[in-house]
Amino acid sequence: MMRQAVIILAAAMAVSLAAQARQMPSFSQFDLDGDGLISEDEYVSHQTGTRRASESEAIAKFTKFDLDQNRIVTEDELYEAVYAAQAERTGTSVSAIDLADSQ
């Protein structure tokens, strides 16, 4: 019974990660100058240029991504914020502790 639970949990994690990978934005599409960082201007320019958000919406999103509030978003910050938002939206977040507890 316990082994089946672990297998089911692992399969659910694999499906969730695959779905998230398809929805994960490419960091380079926002890093317009290629310096490895996303400035607020770069993010707003991308979002308004592709008509995905108004300027105020883009600034609000950027603020959420800028986890340390230094007005620059790193690749880690972007992916951490996107994963957190996806996990919150889908309720599919599984931690290593959850996996260990199920064994």
Side-chain angles (χ1 to χ4, degrees):
M1 179 79 145
M2 189 65 76
R3 185 175 180 182
Q4 288 176 331
V6 171
I7 292 171
I8 291 170
L9 183 57
M13 286 176 56
V15 169
S16 176
L17 289 173
Q20 289 176 2
R22 285 192 299 274
Q23 297 172 7
M24 186 61 65
S26 168
F27 185 82
S28 63
Q29 73 188 33
F30 301 110
D31 180 16
L32 303 179
D33 64 6
D35 68 351
L37 302 167
I38 303 171
S39 69
E40 184 177 295
D41 289 341
E42 285 176 310
Y43 186 79
V44 171
S45 177
H46 177 272
Q47 292 296 288
T48 57
T50 59
R51 298 183 183 190
R52 292 186 175 169
S54 68
E55 184 174 350
S56 62
E57 291 169 333
I59 291 170
K61 287 181 184 180
F62 181 86
T63 301
K64 287 182 182 180
F65 294 153
D66 185 13
L67 300 177
D68 61 7
Q69 301 299 301
N70 67 348
R71 304 189 54 82
I72 297 292
V73 172
T74 64
E75 191 166 4
D76 287 342
E77 282 179 308
L78 176 66
Y79 292 141
E80 187 175 330
V82 170
Y83 279 127
Q86 288 174 342
E88 184 178 303
R89 193 170 50 248
T90 63
T92 58
S93 178
V94 177
S95 72
I97 294 170
D98 293 335
L99 183 58
D101 286 346
S102 70
Q103 294 183 5

